[in-house]
C-alpha cells in the first residue's frame, strides 16, 4: 500500500474539520490560537484538513486543547470509539476515573 493511500485513511483530516466547525472557528483562527504563524495558519490548517500533511504531536495537542477534545480523538480509527472517547471526555474527572475503574474491573 502506498503512503498516499494510507494517509487518505487517516481519521485526522475529517475529525479536525468537524471539531473546528463545531467550535465555529475559521481555519486561520484555529491555527493562530494553536500557535501557528498568522501568515501561514490558514494554509497549514487547510493542508491538515485535506490530509496533505499531518501536524506533529505538539501541534496536534495544541489544536486539541483549543478545540476542547482529547488528542486521541483525532487518531482513533473506529468511529464508535471516537464517540465514546468524546462522551467520556465531557464528564467530570471523577466520573472519568470511575469509568476507567469499571473497565479495568471487567477486564474488557
Amino acid at each position: 500500500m502506498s503512503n498516499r493511500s494510507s494517509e487518505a485513511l487517516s481519521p485526522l483530516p475529517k475529525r479536525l474539520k468537524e471539531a473546528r466547525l463545531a467550535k465555529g472557528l475559521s481555519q486561520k483562527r484555529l491555527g493562530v490560537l494553536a500557535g501557528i504563524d498568522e501568515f501561514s495558519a490558514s494554509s497549514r490548517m487547510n493542508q491538515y484538513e485535506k490530509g496533505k500533511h499531518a501536524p506533529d504531536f505538539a501541534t496536534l495537542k495544541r489544536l486539541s486543547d483549543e478545540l476542547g477534545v482529547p488528542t486521541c480523538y483525532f487518531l482513533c480509527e473506529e468511529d464508535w470509539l471516537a464517540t465514546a472517547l468524546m462522551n467520556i471526555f465531557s464528564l467530570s474527572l471523577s466520573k472519568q476515573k470511575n469509568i476507567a475503574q469499571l473497565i479495568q474491573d471487567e477486564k474488557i
Side-chain angles (χ1 to χ4, degrees):
M1 183 181 278
S2 74
N3 243 1
R4 189 75 176 144
S5 60
S6 64
E7 287 177 31
L9 299 176
S10 172
L12 184 124
K14 176 182 176 241
R15 294 217 178 104
L16 180 58
K17 183 176 183 176
E18 288 174 352
R20 177 182 63 77
L21 292 175
K23 280 287 193 177
L25 297 171
S26 68
Q27 289 177 332
K28 181 176 184 175
R29 183 71 182 138
L30 175 57
V32 169
L33 288 171
I36 299 171
D37 181 78
E38 179 180 3
F39 297 104
S40 62
S42 183
S43 62
R44 282 188 52 196
M45 291 303 302
N46 185 270
Q47 291 175 347
Y48 297 158
E49 289 183 9
K50 298 276 187 204
K52 292 180 181 177
H53 295 286
D56 61 27
F57 186 80
T59 302
L60 186 60
K61 175 70 174 123
R62 289 191 306 270
L63 290 168
S64 67
D65 289 346
E66 290 301 330
L67 293 169
V69 300
T71 307
C72 58
Y73 169 75
F74 295 118
L75 305 173
C76 185
E77 291 180 87
E78 300 83 4
D79 288 338
W80 69 267
L81 186 53
T83 299
L85 289 168
M86 288 297 291
N87 289 332
I88 293 168
F89 190 75
S90 70
L91 299 172
S92 68
L93 184 58
S94 64
K95 287 183 180 180
Q96 290 175 11
K97 289 179 179 181
N98 287 344
I99 289 172
Q101 187 63 52
L102 285 171
I103 292 169
Q104 184 175 353
D105 290 347
E106 290 296 319
K107 305 290 186 224
I108 296 177

